[in-house]
Amino acid sequence: MPTARRVAEDYLDHLAVERGRAQNTLHSYRLDLGRYLDHLDHLGRTELTQVAEADVAAFVAALRTGERPLAASSAARALAAVRGLHRFALHEGLTPTDVAAGVTPPALGSRLPSALSVDQVDQLLAGCVSDGPVGLRDRALLELLYSTGARISEVVGADLDDLDPDARTILLHGKGNKQRIVPVGRPALAAVDAYRVRARPALAARGTGSPALLLNARGNRLSRQSAWHVLRAAAEASGLPGDVVATVSPHTLRHCFATHLLSGGADVRVVQELLGHASVATTQIYTHVTVDTLREVYATAHPRARG
């Protein structure tokens, strides 16, 4: 019988080769399964056939109450990786039952995504005023994120050929290798054009001919982590209030894109397609944000709202 660690490696190979999972997803699964396997080692469980449902439940509890407790969402993600491992072991005939199937994830609550106002987004984008190659690239990055609602990984993963300036569209490569074509607004196109003409050639000369649209200072593809630092630095330099800056996350401009479209009257299914959501239920969380905004306006503006 193979060890639990051997089965985990086979499972990760299965996700990469047969399921085509993205590298970011594989990295997260490897980290989460590493925590789980360390937990099993501590219990003296070297094979998955030795694991009981109580062991899996104890792992989830430890994630939430250990020395460095994880958020409920992070613990739920880790449990998803563990469930996948045990389901894989069952399908491969390595275990007689799936002991993780009955373990429930921690409650996530109803936390809504934070979104900046239109004026705040304008202030954030206006903070990128440098005419140097890196400054022009940063402005192009942020304008693309807000104009398309793309994930940071999708924008940094885009190649030069994915952008069609004439059609004003960009081809994005989303989760599960799914592709979608998204319109690009004129301000974003102008920022990208300024970067392509005045900055990218200088950056590309430092590298080895990367096809990436957005390049780092060494002429290679800009990484997701570097792009997140660009967004964070722009927020801190924007002059926005500190409590607003504190809410900025890798998905901030994506949240703003969706919320502002829906507030402007866009159909939720159109926004679903633009965001690349598999289910409209995922997109509908943004309708809650816009209803809350309407409620606030009503409460302050209607003469009988506070009766």
Coordinates of all heavy atoms in Angstrom, one line a residue, residues 216-267:
N216 N 8.4 42.9 -16.8 CA 9.0 43.4 -15.6 C 10.3 44.2 -16.0 O 10.6 44.3 -17.1 CB 9.3 42.4 -14.5 CG 10.2 41.3 -15.0 OD1 11.0 41.5 -15.9 ND2 10.1 40.1 -14.4
A217 N 11.0 44.7 -15.0 CA 12.2 45.5 -15.3 C 13.3 44.7 -15.9 O 14.2 45.3 -16.5 CB 12.7 46.2 -14.0
R218 N 13.2 43.4 -15.9 CA 14.3 42.5 -16.5 C 13.8 42.0 -17.9 O 14.5 41.2 -18.5 CB 14.6 41.4 -15.6 CG 15.2 41.8 -14.2 CD 15.5 40.6 -13.4 NE 14.3 39.8 -13.1 CZ 13.4 40.1 -12.2 NH1 13.5 41.2 -11.4 NH2 12.3 39.3 -12.0
G219 N 12.7 42.5 -18.3 CA 12.2 42.1 -19.7 C 11.5 40.8 -19.7 O 11.2 40.3 -20.8
N220 N 11.1 40.2 -18.5 CA 10.4 39.0 -18.5 C 8.9 39.3 -18.1 O 8.6 40.4 -17.8 CB 11.0 38.0 -17.5 CG 12.5 37.7 -17.8 OD1 12.8 37.5 -18.9 ND2 13.3 37.8 -16.7
R221 N 8.1 38.3 -18.2 CA 6.7 38.4 -17.9 C 6.5 38.9 -16.5 O 7.1 38.4 -15.5 CB 5.9 37.1 -18.1 CG 4.4 37.2 -17.9 CD 3.7 35.9 -18.1 NE 3.9 35.3 -19.4 CZ 3.1 35.6 -20.4 NH1 2.1 36.5 -20.3 NH2 3.4 35.1 -21.6
L222 N 5.7 39.9 -16.3 CA 5.4 40.4 -15.0 C 4.6 39.3 -14.2 O 3.7 38.7 -14.7 CB 4.5 41.7 -15.1 CG 4.2 42.4 -13.8 CD1 5.4 43.1 -13.3 CD2 3.1 43.5 -14.0
S223 N 5.0 39.1 -12.9 CA 4.4 38.1 -12.1 C 3.2 38.6 -11.4 O 3.0 39.8 -11.3 CB 5.4 37.6 -11.0 OG 5.6 38.6 -10.0
R224 N 2.4 37.7 -11.0 CA 1.1 38.0 -10.2 C 1.5 38.8 -9.0 O 0.8 39.8 -8.6 CB 0.3 36.8 -9.9 CG -1.0 37.0 -9.3 CD -1.7 35.7 -9.0 NE -0.9 34.8 -8.1 CZ -1.5 33.8 -7.4 NH1 -2.7 33.6 -7.5 NH2 -0.7 33.1 -6.7
Q225 N 2.5 38.3 -8.2 CA 2.9 39.0 -7.0 C 3.3 40.4 -7.2 O 3.0 41.4 -6.5 CB 4.0 38.2 -6.3 CG 3.6 36.8 -5.8 CD 3.5 35.8 -6.9 OE1 3.9 36.0 -8.0 NE2 3.1 34.6 -6.5
S226 N 4.1 40.6 -8.3 CA 4.6 42.0 -8.6 C 3.4 42.9 -9.0 O 3.4 44.1 -8.6 CB 5.6 41.9 -9.8 OG 6.8 41.3 -9.4
A227 N 2.5 42.4 -9.7 CA 1.3 43.1 -10.1 C 0.5 43.5 -8.9 O 0.0 44.7 -8.8 CB 0.4 42.4 -11.1
W228 N 0.4 42.7 -7.9 CA -0.3 43.0 -6.7 C 0.4 44.1 -5.9 O -0.2 45.0 -5.4 CB -0.5 41.7 -5.8 CG -0.7 41.9 -4.4 CD1 0.0 41.2 -3.4 CD2 -1.6 42.7 -3.7 NE1 -0.5 41.6 -2.1 CE2 -1.5 42.6 -2.3 CE3 -2.6 43.6 -4.2 CZ2 -2.2 43.2 -1.4 CZ3 -3.4 44.3 -3.2 CH2 -3.2 44.1 -1.8
H229 N 1.7 44.0 -5.9 CA 2.5 45.1 -5.3 C 2.3 46.4 -6.0 O 2.3 47.5 -5.3 CB 4.0 44.7 -5.2 CG 4.3 43.6 -4.3 ND1 3.9 43.6 -3.0 CD2 5.1 42.5 -4.4 CE1 4.3 42.6 -2.3 NE2 5.0 41.9 -3.2
V230 N 2.1 46.4 -7.3 CA 1.9 47.6 -8.1 C 0.5 48.2 -7.6 O 0.4 49.5 -7.4 CB 1.9 47.4 -9.6 CG1 1.3 48.6 -10.3 CG2 3.2 47.0 -10.1
L231 N -0.5 47.4 -7.5 CA -1.8 47.9 -7.1 C -1.7 48.5 -5.7 O -2.3 49.5 -5.4 CB -2.8 46.7 -7.1 CG -4.2 47.0 -6.6 CD1 -4.9 48.2 -7.3 CD2 -5.1 45.8 -6.7
R232 N -1.0 47.8 -4.8 CA -0.9 48.2 -3.4 C -0.2 49.5 -3.3 O -0.6 50.4 -2.6 CB -0.2 47.1 -2.6 CG -0.2 47.4 -1.1 CD -1.6 47.2 -0.5 NE -1.7 47.6 0.9 CZ -2.8 47.6 1.6 NH1 -3.9 47.1 1.0 NH2 -2.8 48.0 2.8
A233 N 0.9 49.6 -4.0 CA 1.7 50.9 -4.0 C 0.9 52.0 -4.6 O 0.9 53.2 -4.0 CB 3.0 50.7 -4.8
A234 N 0.1 51.8 -5.6 CA -0.7 52.8 -6.2 C -1.8 53.3 -5.2 O -2.1 54.5 -5.1 CB -1.4 52.3 -7.5
A235 N -2.4 52.4 -4.4 CA -3.4 52.7 -3.4 C -2.7 53.6 -2.3 O -3.3 54.6 -1.9 CB -4.0 51.5 -2.8
E236 N -1.5 53.2 -1.9 CA -0.9 53.9 -0.8 C -0.4 55.3 -1.3 O -0.4 56.3 -0.4 CB 0.3 53.1 -0.3 CG -0.1 51.9 0.4 CD 1.1 51.0 0.8 OE1 2.2 51.3 0.4 OE2 0.8 50.0 1.6
A237 N -0.2 55.5 -2.6 CA 0.3 56.8 -3.1 C -0.9 57.6 -3.6 O -0.6 58.8 -4.0 CB 1.3 56.6 -4.2
S238 N -2.1 57.1 -3.5 CA -3.2 57.8 -4.2 C -3.8 59.0 -3.4 O -4.5 59.8 -3.9 CB -4.3 56.8 -4.4 OG -4.9 56.3 -3.2
G239 N -3.5 59.0 -2.1 CA -4.1 60.0 -1.2 C -5.5 59.6 -0.7 O -6.1 60.4 0.0
L240 N -5.9 58.3 -1.0 CA -7.2 57.8 -0.5 C -7.1 57.7 1.1 O -6.0 57.4 1.6 CB -7.5 56.5 -1.1 CG -7.9 56.6 -2.6 CD1 -7.9 55.1 -3.2 CD2 -9.3 57.2 -2.7
P241 N -8.2 57.8 1.8 CA -8.1 57.6 3.2 C -7.6 56.2 3.6 O -7.7 55.2 2.9 CB -9.6 57.7 3.6 CG -10.3 58.4 2.6 CD -9.5 58.1 1.3
G242 N -6.9 56.2 4.8 CA -6.2 54.9 5.2 C -7.2 53.8 5.3 O -6.8 52.6 5.0
D243 N -8.4 54.0 5.8 CA -9.4 52.9 5.9 C -9.8 52.3 4.6 O -10.1 51.1 4.4 CB -10.6 53.3 6.7 CG -11.4 54.4 6.1 OD1 -10.7 55.2 5.3 OD2 -12.6 54.5 6.3
V244 N -9.7 53.2 3.5 CA -10.0 52.7 2.2 C -8.9 51.9 1.6 O -9.0 50.8 1.0 CB -10.4 53.9 1.2 CG1 -10.6 53.4 -0.2 CG2 -11.7 54.6 1.7
V245 N -7.7 52.5 1.8 CA -6.4 51.8 1.3 C -6.3 50.4 2.0 O -5.9 49.4 1.3 CB -5.2 52.6 1.7 CG1 -3.9 51.9 1.4 CG2 -5.2 53.9 0.9
A246 N -6.7 50.3 3.2 CA -6.6 49.0 3.9 C -7.5 47.9 3.3 O -7.3 46.7 3.5 CB -7.0 49.2 5.4
T247 N -8.6 48.3 2.6 CA -9.5 47.3 1.9 C -9.0 46.8 0.6 O -9.6 45.9 0.0 CB -10.9 47.9 1.8 OG1 -10.8 49.0 0.8 CG2 -11.4 48.5 3.1
V248 N -7.9 47.5 0.0 CA -7.5 47.1 -1.3 C -6.9 45.7 -1.3 O -6.0 45.4 -0.4 CB -6.4 48.2 -1.8 CG1 -5.8 47.7 -3.1 CG2 -7.1 49.5 -2.0
S249 N -7.3 44.9 -2.2 CA -6.8 43.5 -2.4 C -6.6 43.2 -3.8 O -6.9 44.0 -4.7 CB -7.9 42.6 -1.8 OG -9.0 42.5 -2.7
P250 N -6.0 42.1 -4.1 CA -5.8 41.7 -5.6 C -7.0 41.8 -6.4 O -6.9 42.0 -7.6 CB -5.2 40.3 -5.5 CG -4.5 40.2 -4.2 CD -5.4 41.1 -3.2
H251 N -8.2 41.6 -5.8 CA -9.5 41.6 -6.6 C -10.2 42.9 -6.5 O -11.3 43.0 -7.1 CB -10.4 40.5 -6.1 CG -10.1 39.1 -6.6 ND1 -9.4 38.9 -7.8 CD2 -10.4 37.9 -6.2 CE1 -9.4 37.6 -8.1 NE2 -9.9 37.0 -7.1
T252 N -9.6 43.9 -5.9 CA -10.3 45.2 -5.7 C -10.9 45.8 -7.0 O -12.1 46.1 -7.1 CB -9.4 46.2 -5.1 OG1 -9.2 45.8 -3.7 CG2 -10.1 47.6 -5.1
L253 N -10.1 45.9 -8.1 CA -10.6 46.5 -9.3 C -11.5 45.6 -10.0 O -12.4 46.1 -10.7 CB -9.4 46.9 -10.2 CG -8.5 48.0 -9.7 CD1 -7.3 48.3 -10.6 CD2 -9.3 49.3 -9.5
R254 N -11.4 44.3 -9.8 CA -12.4 43.4 -10.4 C -13.7 43.6 -9.7 O -14.8 43.6 -10.4 CB -11.9 41.9 -10.2 CG -12.8 40.8 -10.7 CD -12.0 39.5 -10.7 NE -12.8 38.3 -10.8 CZ -13.2 37.8 -12.0 NH1 -12.9 38.4 -13.1 NH2 -13.9 36.7 -12.0
H255 N -13.7 43.7 -8.4 CA -15.0 44.0 -7.6 C -15.6 45.3 -8.1 O -16.8 45.4 -8.3 CB -14.7 44.1 -6.1 CG -14.2 42.8 -5.5 ND1 -14.6 41.5 -6.0 CD2 -13.4 42.5 -4.4 CE1 -14.0 40.6 -5.3 NE2 -13.3 41.1 -4.3
C256 N -14.7 46.3 -8.3 CA -15.2 47.6 -8.7 C -15.9 47.5 -10.1 O -16.9 48.1 -10.4 CB -14.1 48.6 -8.7 SG -13.4 49.0 -7.1
F257 N -15.2 46.8 -11.0 CA -15.7 46.6 -12.3 C -17.2 46.0 -12.3 O -18.1 46.6 -12.9 CB -14.8 45.6 -13.1 CG -15.3 45.1 -14.4 CD1 -15.1 45.8 -15.6 CD2 -15.9 43.9 -14.5 CE1 -15.6 45.3 -16.8 CE2 -16.4 43.4 -15.7 CZ -16.2 44.1 -16.8
A258 N -17.3 45.0 -11.5 CA -18.6 44.3 -11.5 C -19.7 45.2 -10.8 O -20.8 45.3 -11.3 CB -18.5 43.0 -10.7
T259 N -19.3 45.8 -9.7 CA -20.3 46.6 -8.9 C -20.7 47.8 -9.7 O -21.9 48.2 -9.8 CB -19.7 47.1 -7.6 OG1 -19.2 45.9 -6.9 CG2 -20.7 47.8 -6.8
H260 N -19.8 48.5 -10.4 CA -20.1 49.7 -11.2 C -20.9 49.4 -12.4 O -21.8 50.2 -12.8 CB -18.8 50.4 -11.5 CG -18.0 50.9 -10.4 ND1 -16.7 51.4 -10.4 CD2 -18.4 51.0 -9.0 CE1 -16.3 51.7 -9.2 NE2 -17.3 51.5 -8.4
L261 N -20.7 48.2 -13.0 CA -21.5 47.8 -14.2 C -22.9 47.6 -13.7 O -23.9 48.0 -14.4 CB -20.9 46.6 -14.8 CG -19.8 46.7 -15.9 CD1 -19.3 45.4 -16.3 CD2 -20.3 47.6 -17.0
L262 N -23.1 46.8 -12.7 CA -24.5 46.5 -12.2 C -25.2 47.8 -11.7 O -26.4 48.0 -11.9 CB -24.4 45.5 -11.1 CG -24.0 44.1 -11.5 CD1 -23.7 43.2 -10.3 CD2 -25.1 43.4 -12.4
S263 N -24.4 48.7 -11.0 CA -25.0 49.9 -10.6 C -25.5 50.8 -11.8 O -26.4 51.6 -11.7 CB -24.0 50.7 -9.7 OG -23.7 50.0 -8.6
G264 N -24.8 50.6 -12.9 CA -25.1 51.4 -14.1 C -26.2 50.7 -14.9 O -26.5 51.3 -16.0
G265 N -26.7 49.6 -14.5 CA -27.8 49.0 -15.2 C -27.5 47.8 -16.0 O -28.4 47.3 -16.7
A266 N -26.3 47.3 -16.0 CA -25.9 46.1 -16.8 C -26.6 44.9 -16.3 O -26.9 44.7 -15.1 CB -24.4 45.9 -16.7
D267 N -27.0 44.0 -17.2 CA -27.6 42.7 -16.8 C -26.6 41.8 -16.1 O -25.5 41.7 -16.5 CB -28.1 42.0 -18.1 CG -28.9 40.8 -17.8 OD1 -30.1 40.8 -17.5 OD2 -28.3 39.7 -17.8

